[in-house]
Amino acid sequence: MDAKSTDADSVFVGTSGRESFYFLTDQLASDRLIINLFKDRNKIFSKGTSLDYSLNNYNNNLSISLTANVGTTSLSANLSALTINDNGLTGEGNDEAQIFDISPVQFKKAPIPFFIKPTSISNYTVKGVTLNGSITGRLYDSNNQEVDTSYYSISSLNSSISGVDTDYWFYGNLTYDDGLSEVDTFTLGVSAEFTNSTDSFQLTGRSVSFSIYPKDYYYFAKTNEDVDYTEIFKSLRFQEILLDKNILFDDFIGSIFGNLSSNNSSLGKTLNEKIFNFVNNKVNIDTCDISSLISISNQLDETSNVYDDSLFNFPPEIIKLMNLFSTDFNQFKGTENVFSENFNDRGITTKEKYGKNLGSEIDTYAYTVTAGTDIVALEKFSNSYCLLNTYQPICAVDTLQYKLSEYSSDWGWPLVLPQSFISTDLSKFYTFYEYTSGFEGTVYDGIINYSDILNTFNVSTALSSFKGDNNIEDIAIRNALFSSLSII
């Protein structure tokens, strides 16, 4: 209906215009493209009954259909590289977030699936090409050196996705195992030739870096798991006829109950840990397992517990880790003994246990004290030791070095001396020693046994390195899951 601005109830709705839009499409240049334009009637900006402009709802809809020719572009100017990721789904265009990159945590002997496809310089998937020949894959270490092919294999690299008919989207499986117990970091590189029936294009690509861990790289040994039932049974064979029956005790009984090097899932270690850790596992709310914590909560009618214990149905290796990791981190790893004033050697000269911080005796008259190099004083009367801060005398003598024989009460040391004391009498009351820094380092009040030969967890590990994606806790759970499924 034609209308003028002077007509009654007419409303100004805007003017037509011209705009150019550029986009990428998979259609051939000979095809015509249909473009449909419409106006959302709920979002028509116009003058309403209050004479103010706002978004108004009109019953009439604008719908326009246009046709346009698809222009051609140079593939050689737009092809960029081969993209490698975990499942083939990548960000398109300006969407640079790649949430499906190959996981940074992988395991030796476990297949690492990956997808590759050609992309343009604008970060779009290029579909109008066909693979010419085969795809070549190479593995590179952290020094960008090519890895020996005897350590890895790449299978199904030239296979397209089942049920998807494409000549540009391919997948493969990488499997790596060098037989060592170390962690290695790698990147995967691929190269291939693609064609669009007229031109050929040689493309290459690199994945993000990922680390490959050996099985049980992080092993958490609980207290009272370091038991050798093979040797225990051997120690009980009092009959002479059994003394040389090593096959019975090592191969038969030993395979049932295990030894010190057996996994914590062995019968002997499992029984020993459950017996000796019974109180901590069942009663102590700081260290008990999850099922016991739920039972204690139900016993006390604790209504804030919303955890459904029926869901706690996992393989034994997963349950063990969940019980460990649900413990407070400080309770989990324990506290290291940092006592650094172990001076009394108790007459033992080796100082492996006692007197670790007590150094060699020093000559009271000839020794020169250096600021920052602390010394130890032994009071002869009480046989008590005292660590002396050698920075304190600086304010008195204004130097970084000074004679010990020049000592005066102005130095601020906690030495007990008579009022009539003179410096030459210092050795009558005290014996002085060099100070050996360090501490004993025993870990206590934790549930991890650091003396177990299988344990690989370090007490100095920070919480930020332990919790979170791709950190120690996450890696250990993945390891247990893959192991339960016999993947590694």
Side-chain angles (χ1 to χ4, degrees):
M1 176 185 293
D2 294 332
K4 299 179 181 179
S5 60
T6 56
D7 292 343
D9 297 328
S10 64
V11 176
F12 175 73
V13 296
T15 59
S16 63
R18 181 183 179 89
E19 185 59 77
S20 298
F21 295 91
Y22 298 92
F23 53 90
L24 296 177
T25 178
D26 300 329
Q27 290 186 252
L28 300 177
S30 59
D31 295 340
R32 293 184 64 80
L33 189 69
I34 299 176
I35 305 174
N36 292 314
L37 305 177
F38 68 94
K39 180 67 178 178
D40 186 351
R41 72 180 192 180
N42 292 317
K43 296 181 180 180
I44 299 179
F45 189 72
S46 61
K47 186 183 295 184
T49 56
S50 61
L51 303 182
D52 293 329
Y53 281 92
S54 60
L55 292 175
N56 294 288
N57 187 347
Y58 291 91
N59 291 327
N60 59 316
N61 291 324
L62 172 67
S63 180
I64 301 175
S65 294
L66 303 175
T67 61
N69 292 324
V70 177
T72 59
T73 183
S74 172
L75 271 179
S76 60
N78 282 276
L79 274 174
S80 173
L82 292 175
T83 298
I84 308 172
N85 77 337
D86 189 69
N87 60 7
L89 300 179
T90 60
E92 297 284 323
N94 294 327
D95 183 10
E96 297 180 356
Q98 302 295 344
I99 59 176
F100 294 113
D101 277 327
I102 294 178
S103 172
V105 175
Q106 303 292 342
F107 294 92
K108 296 180 180 182
K109 297 184 179 181
I112 305 172
F114 63 90
F115 286 77
I116 62 174
K117 62 180 180 179
T119 54
S120 69
I121 57 175
S122 302
N123 199 34
Y124 285 97
T125 302
V126 178
K127 304 177 182 178
V129 292
T130 303
L131 176 66
N132 186 17
S134 60
I135 303 172
T136 302
R138 293 286 186 270
L139 194 63
Y140 298 87
D141 60 22
S142 56
N143 297 318
N144 202 31
Q145 299 297 313
E146 211 173 296
V147 178
D148 190 334
T149 55
S150 63
Y151 294 147
Y152 71 94
S153 62
I154 299 177
S155 60
S156 306
L157 185 54
N158 298 289
S159 301
S160 58
I161 304 172
S162 177
V164 180
D165 184 18
T166 68
D167 290 326
Y168 58 87
W169 205 359
F170 300 89
Y171 73 90
N173 283 310
L174 166 68
T175 305
Y176 175 85
D177 182 27
D178 59 357
L180 302 178
S181 59
E182 301 297 325
V183 178
D184 303 292
T185 301
F186 303 96
T187 55
L188 175 64
V190 294
S191 60
E193 184 180 272
F194 288 84
T195 180
N196 63 348
S197 73
T198 58
D199 298 311
S200 297
F201 312 96
Q202 190 68 35
L203 300 179
T204 61
R206 280 287 188 101
S207 71
V208 297
S209 61
F210 51 90
S211 298
I212 303 182
Y213 291 80
K215 182 180 179 180
D216 294 334
Y217 182 77
Y218 290 110
Y219 188 95
F220 307 92
K222 287 188 69 175
T223 55
N224 296 310
E225 281 184 346
D226 55 341
V227 60
D228 190 344
Y229 267 98
T230 300
E231 291 300 321
I232 291 177
F233 280 111
K234 282 184 177 181
S235 67
L236 299 176
R237 51 181 181 178
F238 300 109
Q239 299 90 340
E240 292 185 5
I241 194 173
L242 297 176
L243 293 180
D244 60 348
K245 299 298 186 290
N246 292 325
I247 294 179
L248 171 64
F249 288 91
D250 291 332
D251 298 343
F252 181 69
I253 297 179
S255 64
I256 297 174
F257 290 92
N259 51 37
L260 281 177
S261 60
S262 299
N263 191 277
N264 52 28
S265 60
S266 65
L267 180 60
K269 288 191 173 184
T270 300
L271 290 175
N272 201 73
E273 189 276 327
K274 289 185 177 297
I275 293 171
F276 286 92
N277 292 343
F278 180 81
V279 175
N280 283 333
N281 290 343
K282 299 299 180 182
V283 181
N284 188 341
I285 62 173
D286 291 326
T287 59
C288 67
D289 53 47
I290 295 177
S291 60
S292 298
L293 187 62
I294 295 174
S295 298
I296 295 173
S297 177
N298 294 336
Q299 182 181 13
L300 299 176
D301 197 21
E302 177 56 59
T303 58
S304 62
N305 178 27
V306 295
Y307 184 81
D308 186 357
D309 57 344
S310 64
L311 300 177
F312 193 60
N313 186 19
F314 302 103
E317 292 184 30
I318 300 293
I319 293 178
K320 173 182 173 62
L321 291 179
M322 291 184 67
N323 288 330
L324 285 174
F325 298 156
S326 62
T327 308
D328 177 78
F329 186 60
N330 288 328
Q331 291 278 352
F332 169 77
K333 71 185 186 73
T335 303
E336 193 171 13
N337 180 6
V338 294
F339 179 67
S340 58
E341 296 185 14
N342 184 357
F343 299 135
N344 193 347
D345 57 17
R346 303 189 182 187
I348 301 174
T349 58
T350 57
K351 297 185 179 179
E352 293 180 359
K353 184 175 182 180
Y354 301 108
K356 284 189 173 185
N357 300 117
L358 190 68
S360 302
E361 184 177 345
I362 58 180
D363 190 333
T364 307
Y365 299 102
Y367 185 76
T368 299
V369 179
T370 301
T373 304
D374 294 344
I375 60 176
V376 179
L378 170 62
E379 187 181 57
K380 295 182 177 181
F381 175 75
S382 63
N383 197 36
S384 60
Y385 295 88
C386 178
L387 181 63
L388 303 178
N389 183 353
T390 56
Y391 269 118
Q392 285 182 335
I394 295 178
C395 61
V397 297
D398 194 26
T399 182
L400 295 179
Q401 289 188 330
Y402 40 90
K403 289 290 187 180
L404 179 58
S405 59
E406 297 174 355
Y407 168 80
S408 70
S409 59
D410 295 334
W411 287 16
W413 285 352
L415 302 181
V416 180
L417 297 166
Q419 292 289 340
S420 59
F421 160 78
I422 57 177
S423 58
T424 55
D425 293 337
L426 189 60
S427 60
K428 296 180 180 179
F429 302 95
Y430 286 90
T431 302
F432 295 90
Y433 299 87
E434 293 177 344
Y435 173 67
T436 302
S437 60
F439 48 86
E440 192 260 344
T442 299
V443 181
Y444 56 94
D445 292 340
I447 60 178
I448 297 297
N449 181 8
Y450 295 94
S451 62
D452 194 305
I453 60 174
L454 299 179
N455 180 71
T456 60
F457 182 71
N458 196 312
V459 68
S460 61
T461 302
L463 179 62
S464 58
S465 300
F466 185 76
K467 297 283 187 179
D469 292 342
N470 306 316
N471 285 336
I472 295 175
E473 185 181 79
D474 185 28
I475 296 171
I477 291 177
R478 294 194 207 185
N479 178 91
L481 179 62
F482 285 9
S483 179
S484 300
L485 296 174
S486 299
I487 297 177
I488 58 176

